[in-house]
Amino acid sequence: MEKKPLDQGQNPAAQGESGLHTDFKENMTYGEYLHLDKLLTAQDGLSDHHDEALFIIIHQVSELWMKLILHELRAAITNIEKDDLQPAFKQLSRVSKIQTQIIQAWDVLATLTPAEYMEFRSTLANASGFQSYQYRMIEFALGYKTKHVLKIYEKDEELLSTLTEAFHQPGLYDAAIRKLARAGLPIDEEIVSRDVSTPYEPNDSVLAAWTTVYRDVDTYWELYQLAEKLVDVEDCLQQWRFRHMKTVERIIGFKKGTGGSSGVHYLKKVLDQYFFPELWTLRTEI
C-alpha cells in the first residue's frame, strides 16, 4: 500500500514512526539546543516598515556565517603552523563554501528597492556594516591590518581588547609564507620575522618561492594545494565585495554610507586591495 506523506501536526506514530520522541518534559529540545528563543527574537526593528525585517535578518545571517569563517580560519592557521596541511585544506575549502552563501545573500537584499529602504534608513543613524567587527577580524586573519579601524571599537573595551589581540596575531598569509621557508624555499628573513601588525607589502623572494612551487607542482604538491586554497578564499572575498558594492549602488546610488563612508566610491576602492598579492602576480610570470 502506498504511504501518504505525513501532514504537519499529524501524529507520527500513526504513520509507523513509533520510535519518534514526542515527550520533552525532561529532555532538551531542538529549539533549546539552538537557543531559538534568543535567536528568533533578535530582529527588533526601529520602524514599522515591512522590509526592515529583511534588512536585519540578512545582516544577522551574514554575521553568523562570518563567525564560522573565523572559526575555520583560526583552525587553518594553527594547522599550517603545525605543518599539518590536510586539515587546513578542508577548513579553507569550507571557508570558500561559506563565502558563496554570503555572496548569494546579496541577491536577496537586492530585492529591497530604493523607495522601500528610504522609509527606514534614517533609523539606522550612524550604524553601518562598515563597523562589523567580525569582518575586521576576517581581514586581520587574512593579513590585512590597518590600525586606524580599531578606533571604531573604543566604545567597548572588551571588544577592543579582542580586536587588538587579533590585530597582533599572524594572518593566514604569514603562516603560509613561513611554511614556504620551512619547506626550504628562500624567503627574506625580514619577511619571515616581520611585524605582523603592519600591512603586508609584496616581496620578490615570496614571489620567487611561489613561482617555484607552480613550476614544479610534483615536488611541491602540498604547497601548490595551499596556494590554490588561498586563491579560492581571496577570489570569493572579492566576489562578495563586488556584490556588496553593486547592491549598495542599486539601492542607494552614490549617497554617503550611514557610517560616513563615501559609499559606493569606498567599496570600489577596496576591490583593489589584495591579501595574497604574489599569488596573483605569478599568474602573469609563469
Side-chain angles (χ1 to χ4, degrees), residues 145 167-168 174 178 190-191 193-200:
K145 310 284 181 72
F167 187 84
H168 287 93
D174 293 307
R178 291 173 183 178
E190 65 189 55
I191 297 298
S193 59
R194 78 182 194 89
D195 179 356
V196 297
S197 68
T198 59
Y200 177 78

Side-chain angles (χ1 to χ4, degrees), residues 180-181 183-189 192 203-206 208-209 212 220:
L180 288 174
L185 291 159
I187 304 292
D188 293 344
E189 179 55 34
V192 176
N203 176 267
D204 288 342
S205 70
V206 174
T212 298
Y220 299 105

